[in-house]
Amino acid sequence: MIIVLKKGTEQQEMDRLTDMITGLGGITVNPIVGADLTILGLIGDTSRIDPSQIESFRCVDKIMHVAEPFKKANRMFHPEPTVVDVAGVKVGGKKLAVMAGPCSVENRDQITYVAQKVKDAGAAILRGGAFKPRTSPYSFQGLKYEGLELLCQAREATGLPIVSEIMSPRDIDVFVEKVDLIQVGARNMQNFDLLRQLGQTRKPILLKRGLSATIEEWLMSAEYIMAEGNPNVILCERGIRTFETYTRNTVDLGAIPAVKKLSHLPVIVDPSHGTGKWWMVEPLARAAIAVGADGVMVEVHNDPDHALCDGQQSIKPEVFADVMDDIRKIAAVVGREV
Ligand code: PEP
Ligand code: MN
C-alpha cells in the first residue's frame, strides 16, 4: 500500500500517521521524500488497515494499492529513478554506464592490457570474471582469489572501478573489500541466501536476469536484496532461454521499457551473453541504448580465438571502440550522455 501525502505536510503529522500504522503491528513504513511528492510505502500485512482510518488524517492525499509482490523495487514506492554510485561512477542517471572487459581474468598482462584499451575507448567500469560458473566442471573455473588481485591491480593502473561475479556467500567479505560492484550471475539469480546476505551489505549489486526468469521473478530477486536494507541494485538483461538456438540466448529488449515502468532501478543490457556471437554485440548494444537501457556490459578480449572462456562472443578492443562510437551517436538521439 502507498499513501501519498499532501504537499507541505509537516513532519509531526507524518510521524503521527506512521505511529498509528506501525502500532497495528506487522507493518513497516518507508517514507520517501521526493522533490514534488512525499509518500509512505507500507510493507507487511496491510490487511489490518482500515482505509478510512488513514483517510481521516488530513495530511493524506490518496491511498493506492500495489498489485505487484515487489515493493521496495517498485516504481510506486520510489517514483524517481534510482542512481547507483559505483565508486564514483553513477549508474541510472543521464550518463550511460559502459562496463567492459574479458569474460575471465586470465593473467596480469591480459587484464591490464584490456583494461587500458577499454578505458581509452571510453568504458567507465572494468569487468572480469574470477569465479566462473561453467556448465562443465572440467572447464576453466577462473583464477579465483588471484583473479580478484589482478583485477585490483588493473583498477590501480587505470582508475576504472571493477565488477566481478560472486558465486558463494562465503566470499562476501572478500568481495566487499576488493570489488566495487558485485555481480550476481544468471545462474545465481534465485540463490536467495546469497541475495539476502548481499542485502546486508551496502555494496552496489549487479543482478543479472536468470536464464529462464520472468521479469517479475527478476524483480523479486532484487526485492530480496533490498528487503535486507541494500538499495544499491542494478539490473542486467542478459538474454533468456527460448526455442531459438541460433543465438546463445534471446535478448529481451522489451524487458527494458517494462522494467523502467515497473521499477525505479537502473537496468543495463549484456549483448555478449545475450547473443553468444561477437558480431551481434555491436548492433544489440546500439539497440539496448535506443530502447532506454542505462548502459551495457560487453565482453572484450585481446585474443578472442584463444580466450579461456566465451571467446566466440568476445570482441576485440578495436571493435569495442566502434561500439563506443555507436553508443555516443544513439545516446545523443535518446537524450543521454556517455
Ligand atoms: C558473466 O558475466 O561472465 C556471466 C557468466 O554471465 P551470465 O551470468 O549472464 O551468464
Ligand atoms: Mn562470459
Side-chain angles (χ1 to χ4, degrees):
M1 182 183 275
I2 301 270
I3 302 171
V4 181
L5 301 181
K6 286 190 184 137
K7 256 195 170 150
T9 294
E10 306 222 326
Q11 183 68 40
Q12 215 181 348
E13 243 207 298
M14 204 162 109
D15 291 346
R16 228 167 44 81
L17 177 57
T18 303
D19 289 347
M20 188 281 282
I21 297 165
T22 49
L24 298 170
I27 304 169
T28 55
V29 179
N30 299 268
I32 298 119
V33 184
D36 311 309
L37 210 62
T38 297
I39 64 178
L40 301 179
L42 275 48
I43 298 176
D45 182 10
T46 50
S47 64
R48 296 157 192 253
I49 297 176
D50 169 5
S52 65
Q53 231 181 325
I54 291 177
E55 278 156 2
S56 69
F57 281 77
R58 244 171 292 162
C59 61
V60 173
D61 184 16
K62 60 181 168 189
I63 300 174
M64 295 189 293
H65 290 277
V66 182
E68 295 86 11
F70 45 93
K71 310 293 178 193
K72 293 196 167 183
N74 202 307
R75 195 174 268 272
M76 282 176 84
F77 264 59
H78 193 291
E80 300 296 318
T82 282
V83 178
V84 176
D85 187 327
V86 179
V89 174
K90 305 273 198 292
V91 184
K94 186 164 186 186
K95 206 166 162 161
L96 298 168
V98 179
M99 310 181 191
C103 178
S104 307
V105 179
E106 297 175 5
N107 56 61
R108 179 177 297 139
D109 286 351
Q110 175 242 16
I111 189 65
T112 45
Y113 177 80
V114 176
Q116 193 57 52
K117 283 290 185 188
V118 299
K119 184 190 173 168
D120 292 347
I125 296 176
L126 174 67
R127 69 150 281 149
F131 295 81
K132 295 306 303 176
R134 304 303 299 275
T135 301
S136 164
Y138 309 117
S139 301
F140 174 61
Q141 303 285 308
L143 296 182
K144 306 199 166 99
Y145 302 104
E146 187 197 341
L148 289 183
E149 285 307 326
L150 295 177
L151 264 179
C152 291
Q153 291 173 15
R155 170 177 55 202
E156 204 147 297
T158 58
L160 291 178
I162 53 178
V163 52
S164 198
E165 176 170 354
I166 192 167
M167 296 209 325
S168 166
R170 77 171 168 256
D171 290 326
I172 287 181
D173 288 348
V174 181
F175 272 74
V176 165
E177 184 195 329
K178 304 207 181 280
V179 168
D180 302 297
L181 173 60
I182 303 178
Q183 177 173 326
V184 175
R187 289 154 194 82
N188 272 308
M189 188 205 83
Q190 287 187 316
N191 182 341
F192 299 120
D193 263 354
L194 179 64
L195 300 177
R196 271 210 191 91
Q197 291 187 44
L198 288 169
Q200 284 160 16
T201 76
R202 293 297 174 268
K203 269 276 165 179
I205 310 295
L206 182 70
L207 179 64
K208 289 191 136 192
R209 183 175 181 181
L211 306 173
S212 303
T214 64
I215 291 169
E216 185 168 296
E217 286 164 343
W218 186 20
L219 291 172
M220 287 310 288
S221 290
E223 190 77 15
Y224 262 91
I225 299 168
M226 300 175 84
E228 294 292 326
N230 187 353
N232 303 308
V233 179
I234 303 166
L235 300 164
C236 178
E237 161 63 41
R238 46 78 71 203
I240 47 172
R241 227 172 236 191
T242 66
F243 54 81
E244 182 56 71
T245 55
Y246 183 73
T247 43
R248 181 177 179 179
N249 291 293
T250 298
V251 186
D252 182 7
L253 288 176
I256 305 306
V259 162
K260 288 275 167 202
K261 182 176 167 67
L262 293 168
S263 178
H264 52 89
L265 296 173
V267 58
I268 67 166
V269 172
D270 171 352
S272 308
H273 293 89
T275 62
K277 296 188 190 302
W278 73 267
W279 54 272
M280 291 184 81
V281 169
E282 189 171 350
L284 267 297
R286 285 198 294 256
I289 302 307
V291 84
D294 295 298
V296 289
M297 175 185 252
V298 175
E299 286 188 340
V300 180
H301 197 284
N302 50 312
D303 182 7
D305 290 344
H306 297 100
L308 296 181
C309 184
D310 286 350
Q312 73 292 348
Q313 67 189 36
S314 299
I315 55 175
K316 293 183 178 169
E318 310 85 81
V319 180
F320 178 67
D322 291 341
V323 171
M324 288 302 303
D325 285 343
D326 286 356
I327 289 177
R328 283 187 195 98
K329 287 182 200 142
I330 307 274
V333 175
V334 293
R336 307 292 290 260
E337 290 167 0
V338 187

